[in-house]
Amino acid sequence: MTETGGQPPRPKRKPKDILRFRGDRIITEDDLDRTFPEDGEESQYGDRRRHIFHGAVLVFLVALLVAAVVAALAVMRGDLVIPGWEAKQAAGGPKGCPAGIYDYPDNGSFTLNVYNGTRLEGLAGQAAEQFKDRGYKVGKVESVDLIRPGTVAVIVSGPAGQAAAFNLQRNLKGTSYKPDTRGDNSVDLLVGTGFKELVPEELVDQTPGSISCPLLTPKPAAAG
């Protein structure tokens, strides 16, 4: 019995659980987050890993392209020799250095084409003028692909122009000869950055001799 009315107090009702429906608990978003807490992190990590992989592939491809360009330039300059490549190049034309002994022909007996093998503007014209002053019959004066830095000049002719090439080597020291298959006696002079001036005319050796081919493989045969 109580002092207020004589009736015993009613027990308090337990708050209704709104997350239960017919005895089963309802799964909420918070429950899912607690159950799978790393989903977002794994997705971000996967994206980051893919970005790193793609970046590494891109860097590798760029490096490969740069290496290929550098190698190609080295081959063209002659600084890099690829085994077997020279043999294939030589298969379609003459190879080796002429081993004959040549008489010194007259300066005006052949056509001389002068080419600038450098980025120095006007170099071919300067060289052509020096040869004209000595009575050479100058044909083309143009620019061509770059040749190895420091080269004085490369002389190119067919078999009929080998004596003319010998003439040029006596007038311009430090040159190298390369043969081609042309049928006339014309000669091409590819001037490099090492070109300065001709041998003084009074000092030109006009006695018979051989051609020099330091850039060719195989090396020149010894004159007999």
Coordinates of all heavy atoms in Angstrom, one line a residue, residues 84-180:
G84 N 76.8 -6.4 -88.1 CA 76.0 -6.9 -89.2 C 75.4 -5.8 -90.1 O 75.0 -6.0 -91.2
W85 N 75.2 -4.6 -89.5 CA 74.5 -3.5 -90.2 C 75.4 -3.0 -91.4 O 74.9 -2.9 -92.5 CB 74.2 -2.4 -89.3 CG 73.3 -1.3 -89.9 CD1 72.0 -1.4 -90.0 CD2 73.8 -0.1 -90.5 NE1 71.5 -0.2 -90.6 CE2 72.6 0.6 -90.9 CE3 75.0 0.5 -90.7 CZ2 72.7 1.8 -91.5 CZ3 75.1 1.7 -91.3 CH2 73.9 2.4 -91.7
E86 N 76.7 -2.9 -91.2 CA 77.5 -2.4 -92.2 C 77.6 -3.3 -93.4 O 77.6 -2.9 -94.5 CB 78.9 -2.1 -91.6 CG 79.0 -0.9 -90.7 CD 80.4 -0.6 -90.3 OE1 81.3 -1.5 -90.4 OE2 80.7 0.5 -89.9
A87 N 77.6 -4.6 -93.1 CA 77.7 -5.6 -94.1 C 76.5 -5.6 -95.0 O 76.6 -5.7 -96.3 CB 77.9 -7.0 -93.5
K88 N 75.3 -5.4 -94.5 CA 74.1 -5.3 -95.2 C 74.1 -4.0 -96.1 O 73.7 -4.0 -97.2 CB 72.9 -5.3 -94.3 CG 72.7 -6.6 -93.6 CD 71.5 -6.6 -92.7 CE 71.2 -7.9 -92.0 NZ 70.1 -7.9 -91.1
Q89 N 74.6 -2.9 -95.5 CA 74.6 -1.7 -96.3 C 75.6 -1.8 -97.5 O 75.3 -1.2 -98.5 CB 75.1 -0.5 -95.4 CG 74.1 -0.1 -94.3 CD 72.9 0.5 -95.0 OE1 71.9 -0.1 -95.2 NE2 73.0 1.8 -95.3
A90 N 76.7 -2.5 -97.3 CA 77.7 -2.6 -98.3 C 77.4 -3.6 -99.4 O 78.0 -3.6 -100.5 CB 79.1 -2.9 -97.7
A91 N 76.4 -4.5 -99.1 CA 76.1 -5.6 -100.0 C 75.7 -5.1 -101.4 O 75.9 -5.7 -102.4 CB 75.0 -6.5 -99.4
G92 N 75.0 -3.9 -101.5 CA 74.4 -3.4 -102.7 C 75.4 -2.5 -103.5 O 75.1 -2.0 -104.5
G93 N 76.6 -2.3 -103.0 CA 77.5 -1.4 -103.6 C 78.9 -1.7 -103.3 O 79.2 -2.7 -102.7
P94 N 79.9 -0.8 -103.7 CA 81.3 -1.0 -103.5 C 81.6 -1.0 -102.0 O 81.0 -0.3 -101.3 CB 82.0 0.1 -104.3 CG 80.9 1.2 -104.3 CD 79.6 0.5 -104.4
K95 N 82.6 -1.6 -101.6 CA 83.1 -1.6 -100.2 C 84.6 -1.7 -100.2 O 85.2 -2.2 -101.1 CB 82.5 -2.7 -99.4 CG 82.8 -4.1 -99.8 CD 82.2 -5.1 -99.0 CE 82.5 -6.6 -99.5 NZ 81.9 -7.6 -98.6
G96 N 85.2 -1.2 -99.1 CA 86.6 -1.2 -99.0 C 87.2 0.0 -99.7 O 86.6 0.7 -100.4
C97 N 88.5 0.2 -99.4 CA 89.2 1.4 -99.9 C 90.0 1.0 -101.1 O 90.7 -0.1 -101.1 CB 90.2 1.9 -98.8 SG 90.9 3.5 -99.2
P98 N 89.9 1.8 -102.2 CA 90.7 1.4 -103.4 C 92.2 1.4 -103.0 O 92.7 2.2 -102.3 CB 90.5 2.6 -104.3 CG 89.2 3.2 -103.9 CD 89.1 3.0 -102.4
A99 N 92.9 0.3 -103.5 CA 94.3 0.1 -103.2 C 95.2 0.5 -104.3 O 96.4 0.3 -104.2 CB 94.5 -1.4 -102.9
G100 N 94.7 1.1 -105.4 CA 95.5 1.5 -106.5 C 96.4 2.7 -106.3 O 96.2 3.4 -105.3
I101 N 97.3 2.9 -107.2 CA 98.2 4.1 -107.2 C 97.7 5.0 -108.3 O 97.6 4.5 -109.5 CB 99.7 3.7 -107.4 CG1 100.1 2.8 -106.3 CG2 100.6 5.0 -107.4 CD1 100.1 3.4 -104.9
Y102 N 97.5 6.3 -108.0 CA 96.9 7.2 -109.0 C 97.8 8.3 -109.3 O 98.6 8.8 -108.5 CB 95.6 7.8 -108.4 CG 94.6 6.7 -108.0 CD1 94.6 6.2 -106.8 CD2 93.7 6.3 -109.0 CE1 93.6 5.2 -106.4 CE2 92.7 5.3 -108.7 CZ 92.7 4.7 -107.4 OH 91.8 3.8 -107.1
D103 N 97.8 8.7 -110.6 CA 98.5 9.9 -111.0 C 97.6 11.1 -110.6 O 96.4 11.0 -110.5 CB 98.7 9.9 -112.5 CG 99.7 8.8 -113.0 OD1 100.6 8.6 -112.2 OD2 99.5 8.3 -114.1
Y104 N 98.3 12.3 -110.5 CA 97.6 13.5 -110.1 C 97.0 14.1 -111.3 O 97.7 14.6 -112.2 CB 98.6 14.4 -109.4 CG 98.0 15.7 -108.9 CD1 97.5 15.8 -107.6 CD2 97.8 16.8 -109.7 CE1 97.0 16.9 -107.0 CE2 97.3 18.0 -109.2 CZ 96.8 18.0 -107.8 OH 96.3 19.2 -107.3
P105 N 95.6 14.1 -111.5 CA 95.0 14.7 -112.6 C 94.9 16.3 -112.5 O 95.0 16.8 -111.5 CB 93.6 14.1 -112.6 CG 93.3 13.9 -111.2 CD 94.6 13.5 -110.5
D106 N 94.6 16.9 -113.7 CA 94.5 18.3 -113.7 C 93.3 18.8 -112.9 O 92.2 18.1 -112.9 CB 94.4 18.8 -115.1 CG 94.3 20.3 -115.2 OD1 95.3 21.0 -115.1 OD2 93.2 20.8 -115.4
N107 N 93.3 19.9 -112.2 CA 92.3 20.4 -111.3 C 90.9 20.6 -112.1 O 89.9 20.4 -111.5 CB 92.6 21.7 -110.6 CG 93.7 21.5 -109.6 OD1 94.1 20.4 -109.3 ND2 94.3 22.6 -109.1
G108 N 91.0 21.0 -113.3 CA 89.8 21.3 -114.1 C 89.3 20.1 -114.9 O 88.4 20.3 -115.8
S109 N 89.8 18.9 -114.7 CA 89.5 17.7 -115.5 C 88.2 17.0 -115.0 O 87.8 16.0 -115.6 CB 90.7 16.8 -115.6 OG 91.0 16.3 -114.3
F110 N 87.6 17.4 -114.0 CA 86.4 16.8 -113.4 C 85.5 17.8 -112.7 O 85.9 18.9 -112.4 CB 86.8 15.7 -112.4 CG 87.7 16.2 -111.3 CD1 87.0 16.6 -110.1 CD2 89.0 16.3 -111.4 CE1 87.8 17.1 -109.0 CE2 89.8 16.7 -110.3 CZ 89.2 17.1 -109.1
T111 N 84.3 17.4 -112.5 CA 83.3 18.3 -111.9 C 83.3 18.0 -110.4 O 83.2 16.9 -109.9 CB 81.9 18.0 -112.4 OG1 81.9 18.4 -113.8 CG2 80.9 18.9 -111.7
L112 N 83.4 19.1 -109.6 CA 83.4 19.0 -108.1 C 82.2 19.6 -107.5 O 81.9 20.7 -107.7 CB 84.7 19.7 -107.6 CG 84.7 19.9 -106.0 CD1 84.8 18.6 -105.3 CD2 85.9 20.8 -105.6
N113 N 81.4 18.7 -106.8 CA 80.2 19.2 -106.1 C 80.5 19.4 -104.7 O 81.1 18.5 -104.0 CB 79.0 18.2 -106.3 CG 78.7 17.9 -107.7 OD1 78.5 18.8 -108.5 ND2 78.7 16.6 -108.1
V114 N 80.2 20.5 -104.1 CA 80.5 20.8 -102.7 C 79.3 20.9 -101.9 O 78.3 21.6 -102.3 CB 81.3 22.2 -102.7 CG1 81.7 22.4 -101.2 CG2 82.5 22.1 -103.6
Y115 N 79.2 20.2 -100.8 CA 78.1 20.1 -99.9 C 78.4 20.5 -98.5 O 79.5 20.1 -98.0 CB 77.5 18.7 -99.9 CG 76.9 18.2 -101.3 CD1 77.8 17.5 -102.1 CD2 75.7 18.6 -101.7 CE1 77.3 17.1 -103.4 CE2 75.2 18.2 -103.0 CZ 76.0 17.4 -103.8 OH 75.6 17.0 -105.0
N116 N 77.5 21.2 -97.9 CA 77.7 21.6 -96.5 C 77.1 20.5 -95.6 O 75.9 20.3 -95.5 CB 77.1 23.0 -96.2 CG 77.3 23.5 -94.8 OD1 77.9 22.8 -94.0 ND2 76.9 24.7 -94.6
G117 N 78.0 19.8 -94.8 CA 77.5 18.8 -93.9 C 77.4 19.3 -92.5 O 77.4 18.4 -91.5
T118 N 77.3 20.6 -92.3 CA 77.2 21.1 -90.9 C 76.0 22.1 -90.8 O 75.3 22.3 -91.8 CB 78.5 21.9 -90.6 OG1 78.5 23.2 -91.3 CG2 79.7 21.2 -91.0
R119 N 75.9 22.7 -89.7 CA 74.9 23.8 -89.5 C 75.5 25.2 -89.7 O 74.8 26.2 -89.4 CB 74.2 23.7 -88.1 CG 73.3 22.4 -87.9 CD 72.5 22.5 -86.6 NE 71.6 21.4 -86.4 CZ 71.9 20.3 -85.8 NH1 73.1 20.2 -85.2 NH2 71.0 19.3 -85.7
L120 N 76.7 25.2 -90.1 CA 77.4 26.5 -90.3 C 77.0 27.1 -91.6 O 77.3 26.5 -92.7 CB 78.9 26.3 -90.2 CG 79.5 25.7 -88.9 CD1 81.0 25.5 -89.0 CD2 79.2 26.7 -87.7
E121 N 76.3 28.2 -91.6 CA 75.7 28.7 -92.8 C 76.9 29.2 -93.7 O 77.8 29.9 -93.3 CB 74.8 29.9 -92.5 CG 74.1 30.5 -93.7 CD 73.1 31.5 -93.3 OE1 72.8 31.7 -92.1 OE2 72.5 32.1 -94.2
G122 N 76.8 28.9 -95.0 CA 77.7 29.4 -96.0 C 79.1 28.6 -96.1 O 79.9 29.0 -96.9
L123 N 79.2 27.6 -95.4 CA 80.5 26.8 -95.4 C 80.8 26.2 -96.7 O 81.9 26.3 -97.2 CB 80.5 25.8 -94.3 CG 81.8 25.0 -94.1 CD1 82.9 26.0 -93.7 CD2 81.7 23.9 -93.0
A124 N 79.8 25.6 -97.4 CA 80.0 25.0 -98.7 C 80.4 26.1 -99.7 O 81.3 25.9 -100.5 CB 78.7 24.3 -99.2
G125 N 79.8 27.3 -99.6 CA 80.2 28.4 -100.5 C 81.6 28.8 -100.3 O 82.3 29.1 -101.3
Q126 N 82.0 28.9 -99.1 CA 83.4 29.3 -98.8 C 84.4 28.3 -99.4 O 85.4 28.7 -100.0 CB 83.6 29.4 -97.3 CG 82.8 30.5 -96.6 CD 82.9 30.5 -95.1 OE1 83.9 30.0 -94.6 NE2 81.9 31.1 -94.4
A127 N 84.1 27.0 -99.2 CA 85.0 26.0 -99.7 C 85.0 26.0 -101.2 O 86.1 25.9 -101.8 CB 84.5 24.6 -99.2
A128 N 83.8 26.2 -101.8 CA 83.7 26.2 -103.3 C 84.6 27.3 -103.9 O 85.2 27.1 -104.9 CB 82.3 26.3 -103.7
E129 N 84.6 28.5 -103.3 CA 85.3 29.6 -103.8 C 86.8 29.3 -103.7 O 87.6 29.7 -104.7 CB 85.0 30.8 -102.9 CG 83.7 31.5 -103.2 CD 83.5 31.8 -104.7 OE1 84.5 32.4 -105.3 OE2 82.4 31.6 -105.2
Q130 N 87.3 28.6 -102.7 CA 88.7 28.3 -102.6 C 89.1 27.3 -103.7 O 90.2 27.4 -104.3 CB 89.0 27.7 -101.2 CG 88.9 28.6 -100.1 CD 89.4 28.0 -98.7 OE1 90.4 27.3 -98.7 NE2 88.6 28.3 -97.7
F131 N 88.2 26.4 -104.0 CA 88.5 25.4 -105.1 C 88.4 26.1 -106.5 O 89.2 25.8 -107.4 CB 87.6 24.2 -105.0 CG 88.0 23.2 -104.0 CD1 87.3 23.2 -102.8 CD2 89.0 22.4 -104.2 CE1 87.6 22.2 -101.8 CE2 89.4 21.4 -103.2 CZ 88.7 21.4 -102.0
K132 N 87.5 27.0 -106.6 CA 87.4 27.7 -107.9 C 88.7 28.5 -108.2 O 89.1 28.6 -109.3 CB 86.2 28.7 -107.9 CG 84.9 28.0 -108.1 CD 83.7 29.1 -108.0 CE 82.4 28.4 -108.2 NZ 81.3 29.4 -108.1
D133 N 89.3 29.1 -107.1 CA 90.5 29.9 -107.3 C 91.6 29.0 -107.8 O 92.6 29.6 -108.3 CB 90.9 30.5 -106.0 CG 89.9 31.6 -105.6 OD1 89.1 32.1 -106.4 OD2 89.9 32.0 -104.4
R134 N 91.5 27.7 -107.7 CA 92.6 26.8 -108.1 C 92.3 26.1 -109.5 O 92.9 25.2 -109.9 CB 92.9 25.7 -107.1 CG 93.4 26.3 -105.8 CD 94.1 25.3 -104.9 NE 94.7 26.0 -103.8 CZ 95.3 25.4 -102.8 NH1 95.6 24.0 -102.9 NH2 95.8 26.0 -101.8
G135 N 91.2 26.6 -110.1 CA 90.9 26.1 -111.4 C 89.9 24.9 -111.4 O 89.7 24.3 -112.5
Y136 N 89.3 24.6 -110.3 CA 88.4 23.4 -110.3 C 87.1 23.8 -110.9 O 86.6 25.0 -110.8 CB 88.1 23.0 -108.8 CG 89.3 22.2 -108.2 CD1 90.3 22.9 -107.5 CD2 89.4 20.8 -108.3 CE1 91.3 22.2 -106.9 CE2 90.4 20.1 -107.7 CZ 91.4 20.8 -107.0 OH 92.4 20.1 -106.5
K137 N 86.4 22.9 -111.6 CA 85.1 23.1 -112.2 C 84.0 22.7 -111.2 O 83.7 21.6 -111.0 CB 85.0 22.3 -113.5 CG 83.7 22.5 -114.2 CD 83.7 21.8 -115.6 CE 83.9 20.3 -115.5 NZ 83.9 19.7 -116.8
V138 N 83.5 23.7 -110.5 CA 82.6 23.5 -109.4 C 81.2 23.3 -109.9 O 80.7 24.2 -110.7 CB 82.6 24.6 -108.3 CG1 81.6 24.4 -107.2 CG2 84.0 24.6 -107.7
G139 N 80.5 22.3 -109.5 CA 79.1 22.1 -110.0 C 78.1 22.5 -108.9 O 77.9 23.7 -108.7
K140 N 77.5 21.6 -108.2 CA 76.5 21.9 -107.2 C 77.2 22.4 -105.9 O 78.2 21.9 -105.5 CB 75.7 20.7 -106.8 CG 74.8 20.1 -108.0 CD 74.1 18.9 -107.5 CE 73.3 18.3 -108.7 NZ 72.5 17.1 -108.3
V141 N 76.5 23.4 -105.3 CA 76.9 23.9 -104.0 C 75.7 23.9 -103.1 O 74.8 24.8 -103.2 CB 77.5 25.3 -104.0 CG1 77.9 25.8 -102.7 CG2 78.7 25.3 -105.0
E142 N 75.5 22.9 -102.3 CA 74.3 22.7 -101.5 C 74.6 22.2 -100.1 O 75.7 22.0 -99.7 CB 73.4 21.7 -102.2 CG 73.0 22.1 -103.6 CD 72.1 21.0 -104.3 OE1 72.0 19.9 -103.8 OE2 71.7 21.3 -105.5
S143 N 73.5 21.9 -99.3 CA 73.6 21.4 -98.0 C 73.1 19.9 -98.0 O 72.2 19.6 -98.8 CB 72.8 22.2 -97.0 OG 73.3 23.5 -96.8
V144 N 73.6 19.1 -97.1 CA 73.2 17.7 -97.0 C 73.0 17.3 -95.6 O 73.1 18.2 -94.7 CB 74.3 16.7 -97.7 CG1 74.3 16.9 -99.2 CG2 75.6 17.0 -97.0
D145 N 72.8 16.1 -95.3 CA 72.7 15.6 -93.9 C 74.0 15.9 -93.1 O 75.1 15.9 -93.7 CB 72.3 14.1 -93.9 CG 71.0 13.8 -94.4 OD1 70.1 14.8 -94.5 OD2 70.7 12.7 -94.9
L146 N 73.8 16.0 -91.8 CA 75.0 16.3 -91.0 C 76.0 15.1 -91.0 O 75.6 14.0 -91.1 CB 74.6 16.6 -89.6 CG 73.6 17.8 -89.4 CD1 73.3 17.9 -87.9 CD2 74.3 19.0 -89.9
I147 N 77.3 15.4 -91.0 CA 78.3 14.4 -90.9 C 78.9 14.5 -89.5 O 78.7 15.5 -88.8 CB 79.3 14.5 -92.0 CG1 80.0 15.9 -92.0 CG2 78.7 14.2 -93.4 CD1 81.1 16.0 -93.1
R148 N 79.8 13.6 -89.2 CA 80.3 13.5 -87.8 C 81.0 14.8 -87.5 O 81.9 15.3 -88.2 CB 81.3 12.4 -87.7 CG 82.0 12.2 -86.4 CD 83.1 11.1 -86.4 NE 82.5 9.8 -86.7 CZ 83.2 8.7 -86.7 NH1 84.5 8.8 -86.5 NH2 82.7 7.6 -87.1
P149 N 80.7 15.4 -86.3 CA 81.4 16.6 -85.8 C 82.9 16.5 -85.8 O 83.4 15.5 -85.4 CB 80.8 16.9 -84.4 CG 79.5 16.2 -84.4 CD 79.7 14.9 -85.3
G150 N 83.6 17.5 -86.3 CA 85.1 17.5 -86.3 C 85.6 17.0 -87.6 O 86.9 17.1 -87.8
T151 N 84.8 16.4 -88.4 CA 85.3 15.9 -89.7 C 85.7 17.0 -90.6 O 85.0 18.0 -90.7 CB 84.2 15.1 -90.4 OG1 83.8 14.0 -89.6 CG2 84.7 14.5 -91.7
V152 N 86.9 16.9 -91.3 CA 87.3 17.9 -92.2 C 86.4 17.9 -93.5 O 85.8 18.8 -93.9 CB 88.8 17.7 -92.6 CG1 89.2 18.7 -93.7 CG2 89.7 17.9 -91.4
A153 N 86.4 16.7 -94.1 CA 85.5 16.5 -95.3 C 85.5 15.0 -95.6 O 86.4 14.3 -95.3 CB 86.0 17.3 -96.5
V154 N 84.4 14.6 -96.3 CA 84.3 13.3 -96.9 C 84.2 13.4 -98.4 O 83.4 14.2 -98.9 CB 83.1 12.5 -96.3 CG1 82.9 11.2 -97.0 CG2 83.2 12.4 -94.8
I155 N 85.0 12.6 -99.1 CA 85.0 12.7 -100.6 C 84.4 11.4 -101.1 O 84.7 10.3 -100.7 CB 86.5 12.8 -101.1 CG1 87.2 14.0 -100.6 CG2 86.5 12.7 -102.6 CD1 88.7 14.1 -100.8
V156 N 83.4 11.6 -102.0 CA 82.7 10.5 -102.6 C 82.7 10.5 -104.1 O 82.6 11.6 -104.7 CB 81.2 10.6 -102.1 CG1 80.4 9.3 -102.6 CG2 81.1 10.7 -100.6
S157 N 83.0 9.3 -104.7 CA 83.0 9.2 -106.2 C 82.8 7.8 -106.6 O 82.8 6.9 -105.7 CB 84.4 9.7 -106.7 OG 85.4 8.7 -106.6
G158 N 82.5 7.6 -107.9 CA 82.5 6.3 -108.4 C 83.9 5.8 -108.9 O 84.9 6.6 -108.7
P159 N 84.0 4.7 -109.4 CA 85.4 4.2 -109.9 C 86.1 5.1 -110.8 O 87.3 5.3 -110.7 CB 85.0 2.9 -110.5 CG 83.8 2.4 -109.9 CD 83.0 3.6 -109.6
A160 N 85.3 5.8 -111.7 CA 85.9 6.7 -112.7 C 86.4 8.0 -112.1 O 87.2 8.7 -112.7 CB 84.9 7.1 -113.8
G161 N 86.0 8.3 -110.8 CA 86.4 9.5 -110.2 C 87.4 9.3 -109.1 O 87.7 10.3 -108.3
Q162 N 88.0 8.1 -109.0 CA 89.0 7.9 -107.9 C 90.2 8.7 -108.0 O 90.8 9.2 -107.0 CB 89.3 6.4 -107.8 CG 88.1 5.6 -107.4 CD 88.3 4.1 -107.4 OE1 89.4 3.6 -107.9 NE2 87.4 3.3 -106.9
A163 N 90.7 8.9 -109.2 CA 91.9 9.8 -109.4 C 91.6 11.2 -109.0 O 92.4 11.9 -108.4 CB 92.4 9.7 -110.9
A164 N 90.4 11.7 -109.3 CA 89.9 13.0 -108.9 C 89.9 13.1 -107.4 O 90.2 14.2 -106.8 CB 88.6 13.3 -109.6
A165 N 89.4 12.1 -106.8 CA 89.3 12.1 -105.3 C 90.7 12.1 -104.7 O 91.0 12.8 -103.7 CB 88.6 10.8 -104.8
F166 N 91.7 11.4 -105.3 CA 93.1 11.5 -104.9 C 93.6 12.9 -105.0 O 94.3 13.4 -104.2 CB 93.9 10.5 -105.8 CG 95.4 10.7 -105.7 CD1 96.1 10.4 -104.5 CD2 96.1 11.3 -106.8 CE1 97.5 10.6 -104.4 CE2 97.5 11.5 -106.7 CZ 98.2 11.2 -105.5
N167 N 93.2 13.6 -106.1 CA 93.6 15.0 -106.3 C 93.1 15.9 -105.2 O 93.9 16.7 -104.6 CB 93.0 15.5 -107.7 CG 93.1 17.0 -107.8 OD1 92.6 17.8 -107.1 ND2 93.8 17.4 -108.9
L168 N 91.9 15.7 -104.8 CA 91.3 16.5 -103.7 C 92.0 16.3 -102.4 O 92.2 17.2 -101.6 CB 89.8 16.2 -103.6 CG 88.9 16.7 -104.7 CD1 87.5 16.3 -104.4 CD2 89.0 18.2 -104.9
Q169 N 92.4 15.0 -102.1 CA 93.0 14.7 -100.9 C 94.4 15.3 -100.8 O 94.9 15.6 -99.7 CB 93.1 13.2 -100.7 CG 91.7 12.5 -100.4 CD 91.9 11.1 -99.8 OE1 92.7 10.4 -100.2 NE2 91.0 10.8 -99.0
R170 N 95.0 15.5 -101.9 CA 96.3 16.2 -101.9 C 96.2 17.7 -101.6 O 97.1 18.4 -101.1 CB 97.1 16.0 -103.2 CG 97.6 14.6 -103.3 CD 98.7 14.3 -102.3 NE 99.2 12.9 -102.4 CZ 100.2 12.5 -103.2 NH1 100.7 13.4 -104.1 NH2 100.6 11.3 -103.2
N171 N 95.0 18.3 -101.9 CA 94.8 19.7 -101.7 C 94.1 20.0 -100.4 O 94.1 21.2 -100.0 CB 93.9 20.2 -102.9 CG 94.7 20.5 -104.1 OD1 95.2 21.6 -104.4 ND2 94.8 19.4 -105.0
L172 N 93.5 19.0 -99.8 CA 92.8 19.2 -98.5 C 93.1 18.1 -97.6 O 92.7 16.9 -97.7 CB 91.3 19.2 -98.8 CG 90.4 19.5 -97.5 CD1 90.7 20.8 -96.8 CD2 88.9 19.5 -97.9
K173 N 93.9 18.3 -96.6 CA 94.4 17.3 -95.7 C 93.3 16.9 -94.7 O 92.5 17.7 -94.3 CB 95.6 17.8 -94.9 CG 96.8 18.1 -95.7 CD 97.4 16.8 -96.4 CE 98.6 17.1 -97.1 NZ 99.1 15.8 -97.8
G174 N 93.4 15.6 -94.2 CA 92.5 15.1 -93.2 C 91.1 14.6 -93.7 O 90.2 14.4 -92.9
T175 N 91.0 14.4 -95.0 CA 89.7 13.9 -95.6 C 89.7 12.4 -95.6 O 90.7 11.7 -95.4 CB 89.5 14.4 -97.0 OG1 90.5 13.9 -97.8 CG2 89.6 15.9 -97.1
S176 N 88.5 11.9 -95.8 CA 88.3 10.4 -95.9 C 87.5 10.2 -97.2 O 86.6 10.9 -97.6 CB 87.6 9.8 -94.7 OG 87.4 8.4 -94.9
Y177 N 87.8 9.1 -97.9 CA 87.2 8.7 -99.1 C 86.1 7.6 -98.9 O 86.3 6.7 -98.2 CB 88.2 8.2 -100.2 CG 87.6 7.8 -101.5 CD1 87.1 8.7 -102.4 CD2 87.5 6.4 -101.7 CE1 86.5 8.2 -103.6 CE2 86.9 5.9 -102.9 CZ 86.4 6.9 -103.8 OH 85.8 6.4 -105.0
K178 N 85.0 7.8 -99.6 CA 84.0 6.7 -99.7 C 83.5 6.5 -101.1 O 83.2 7.5 -101.8 CB 82.8 7.1 -98.8 CG 83.0 7.0 -97.3 CD 81.7 7.2 -96.5 CE 81.9 7.0 -95.0 NZ 80.7 7.2 -94.3
P179 N 83.5 5.2 -101.6 CA 83.1 5.0 -102.9 C 81.6 4.9 -103.1 O 80.8 4.5 -102.2 CB 83.7 3.6 -103.2 CG 83.7 2.9 -101.9 CD 83.9 4.0 -100.9
D180 N 81.1 5.2 -104.3 CA 79.7 4.9 -104.7 C 79.7 4.3 -106.1 O 80.8 3.9 -106.6 CB 78.8 6.1 -104.5 CG 79.1 7.2 -105.5 OD1 79.9 7.0 -106.4 OD2 78.5 8.3 -105.3

